[in-house]
Amino acid sequence: MLSILSLQVHYLQFIYTSIGYKRMHLYAYHHLAQHHNKERGQVLMMSLKSISLTFAVAISAVLASTFVINPSPSLFLKQLIELGFTIEAHFYHQHHHNKHPSKDQIVNICDDFPPDIPPPDTNITSTLCVDRNGCCNFTTVQSAVDAVANFSQKRTIIWINSGIYYEKVTVPRNKQNITFQGQGYTSTAIVWNDTANSSHGTFYSGSVQVFSNNFIAKNISFMNVAPIPGPGDIGAQAVAIRIAGDQAAFWGCGFFGAQDTLHDDRGRHYFKECYIQGSIDFIFGDARSFYEDCQLISMANPVAAGQRVINGAVTAHGRSSKEENTGFAFVNCSIGGSGRIWLGRAWRPFSRVVFAFTSMSDIIAPEGWNDFNDPSRDQTIFYGEYNCSGAGANTSTRAAYVQRLNDTQASTFLNISFIDGDQWLLSYNNS
């Protein structure tokens, strides 16, 4: 069986804080085994497909320590399968013996499904329901998206039950006004494993790709579980979500990947209380976006004290001319994790990124930013910092082109007016 499987391992990073202790980082390996038969594209989920996202991460964390100590893919796969069967047998025992159903009682996996989901349609909203166990309208997210009327003026709320949905999802331009409503970013996730190589380009590797306007996501995670690229790997970029429509908003969402996690491609976008994980350029694109109260977590390899190596960057903004009104603004965010990284690097000559009131750990390199090793960009990029804090926020040794913004300069980037949010975002509060 092992001869027809390729093991792909990706780790997810979750943060927990305990009183009296430093913030700790748990790297949990997540497993995806796939047939070599690409034409059929069948994915073997084995027993992990039947357990919750939170439990799957916990199980993977236990196995991760074994894998790190003894990095044998065959052994890791064997342990994962054995543990999965053990858990499944335990669930079966609990389900069939602890409840002691009577002889005439039928035990249904949907018995505990919320009775008011989906709610009745209104004049302004319709609700579709996705549950992988078949307890409501659809079992896949893509099938629910496909069912939305083209160019609908009503908002369609796609309510997605807890679970891991292994599928590549596209929201085309004609499916506007859609909301993905998950049950918590550690409970509901859309997961796939394309790379730039497998999808013929980084831009097409996203596990979820949104091309429509007025897209909303709440309490859900977007993950790309392709193998973490090693130094010098070509074509290993792996996007979790690409957002290419205008007026998109994300509340309480998770974005998990390594290189190029969040493709903030184009349009005006808002992110509130989101968790964004990656290593290299893990927020990139040419959108005009406002990030508020978000956690930005680097999963780059740890760097020993005294070494000057750089192995990651938070942003890579793609503004290519001064006429473009694009850029990334981060306000009241926090940056942590591992590695030694830059706040951003100039993917395009007019790259524009500002961090304000943001807590930065010591993983930020003293120079802070990088001009993509092209000094000609130093006169055109706009990299600013304002009232940031933490060990990584010391601007005394920043690169010469970095701007220490005053109150007037910073005011443009400090609220949703940066993305014209007063014209469109406020109406989303009840969506």
Side-chain angles (χ1 to χ4, degrees):
M1 179 177 180
L2 289 176
S3 63
I4 64 169
L5 294 176
S6 60
L7 180 65
Q8 300 178 340
V9 178
H10 179 72
Y11 54 81
L12 309 178
Q13 182 180 65
F14 286 88
I15 305 301
Y16 69 91
T17 304
S18 300
I19 297 175
Y21 292 88
K22 292 182 179 180
R23 178 169 291 184
M24 304 292 289
H25 306 284
L26 173 63
Y27 295 99
Y29 283 90
H30 181 73
H31 162 269
L32 182 67
Q34 184 179 24
H35 275 302
H36 283 300
N37 186 344
K38 299 295 183 181
E39 292 182 0
R40 295 181 68 187
Q42 295 176 330
V43 178
L44 296 183
M45 291 305 131
M46 294 173 287
S47 56
L48 281 184
K49 193 171 182 180
S50 64
I51 56 181
S52 72
L53 173 61
T54 305
F55 199 26
V57 169
I59 293 168
S60 301
V62 174
L63 293 181
S65 60
T66 301
F67 186 82
V68 170
I69 296 169
N70 183 14
S72 166
S74 297
L75 177 59
F76 182 65
L77 180 58
K78 179 177 182 292
Q79 291 174 326
L80 189 60
I81 293 171
E82 290 175 350
L83 183 55
F85 286 147
T86 301
I87 293 165
E88 198 163 288
H90 173 72
F91 285 168
Y92 181 89
H93 176 81
Q94 293 272 51
H95 188 67
H96 287 275
H97 293 278
N98 289 3
K99 290 188 176 181
H100 299 293
S102 66
K103 186 179 297 184
D104 298 326
Q105 181 181 357
I106 298 176
V107 178
N108 192 313
I109 196 170
C110 300
D111 284 347
D112 296 329
F113 192 81
D116 55 344
I117 298 295
D121 290 356
T122 69
N123 292 332
I124 59 174
T125 63
S126 296
T127 302
L128 303 178
C129 175
V130 180
D131 177 79
R132 61 183 183 176
N133 295 314
C135 298
C136 59
N137 307 115
F138 303 95
T139 57
T140 66
V141 177
Q142 186 64 62
S143 61
V145 171
D146 295 342
V148 175
N150 291 344
F151 302 107
S152 174
Q153 296 304 304
K154 294 177 66 174
R155 176 153 295 277
T156 301
I157 299 172
I158 299 179
W159 186 95
I160 307 169
N161 204 6
S162 297
I164 307 173
Y165 295 81
Y166 292 96
E167 54 178 309
K168 190 177 177 83
V169 176
T170 299
V171 183
R173 289 180 177 86
N174 59 353
K175 304 291 185 180
Q176 61 190 26
N177 297 313
I178 284 179
T179 297
F180 282 5
Q181 176 68 65
Q183 310 309 304
Y185 85 90
T186 61
S187 299
T188 307
I190 301 173
V191 180
W192 201 244
N193 66 328
D194 262 341
T195 64
N197 280 336
S198 66
S199 60
H200 308 292
T202 302
F203 281 28
Y204 308 104
S205 65
S207 300
V208 175
Q209 300 180 91
V210 178
F211 298 102
S212 65
N213 294 337
N214 311 119
F215 178 82
I216 297 174
K218 297 179 179 180
N219 305 319
I220 188 171
S221 279
F222 306 94
M223 300 183 178
N224 192 313
V225 294
I228 299 168
D233 283 359
I234 304 299
Q237 299 92 333
V239 172
I241 186 171
R242 176 186 179 185
I243 312 146
D246 193 24
Q247 300 181 2
F250 298 81
W251 279 276
C253 292
F255 305 86
F256 293 88
Q259 183 173 357
D260 295 351
T261 301
L262 172 51
H263 187 183
D264 200 355
D265 186 12
R266 58 182 182 268
R268 293 164 292 176
H269 307 147
Y270 178 69
F271 300 82
K272 173 74 170 181
E273 296 177 349
C274 292
Y275 182 100
I276 307 168
Q277 173 204 278
S279 57
I280 303 170
D281 305 338
F282 60 93
I283 302 173
F284 78 106
D286 191 24
R288 176 158 43 119
S289 296
F290 188 74
Y291 294 80
E292 185 175 21
D293 302 322
C294 293
Q295 295 182 66
L296 315 176
I297 305 300
S298 168
M299 49 170 282
N301 290 331
V303 174
Q307 291 189 355
R308 297 184 58 82
V309 63
I310 302 294
N311 60 356
V314 179
T315 68
H317 191 254
R319 183 168 171 249
S320 57
S321 73
K322 63 180 180 180
E323 285 74 30
E324 288 184 62
N325 185 14
T326 61
F328 297 154
F330 298 86
V331 177
N332 291 321
C333 295
S334 63
I335 303 174
S338 57
R340 188 180 182 85
I341 66 173
W342 292 310
L343 293 170
R345 56 181 190 151
W347 182 31
R348 296 287 185 265
F350 289 81
S351 181
R352 182 165 69 156
V353 181
V354 168
F355 285 90
F357 301 109
T358 291
S359 172
M360 303 177 182
S361 76
D362 60 3
I363 67 170
I364 302 301
E367 66 272 22
W369 306 78
N370 177 262
D371 58 10
F372 230 74
N373 301 321
D374 182 357
S376 68
R377 301 184 179 191
D378 295 0
Q379 305 304 313
T380 56
I381 54 182
F382 187 97
Y383 288 152
E385 298 178 50
Y386 178 73
N387 283 1
C388 294
S389 61
N394 185 349
T395 59
S396 62
T397 55
R398 287 291 195 253
Y401 48 80
V402 176
Q403 302 197 38
R404 299 160 185 81
L405 304 180
N406 59 37
D407 294 349
T408 302
Q409 292 172 315
S411 62
T412 301
F413 305 94
L414 296 183
N415 54 59
I416 60 172
S417 64
F418 175 65
I419 54 172
D420 307 321
D422 50 333
Q423 302 173 21
W424 59 273
L425 183 61
L426 298 179
S427 65
Y428 284 8
N429 288 337
N430 297 320
S431 297

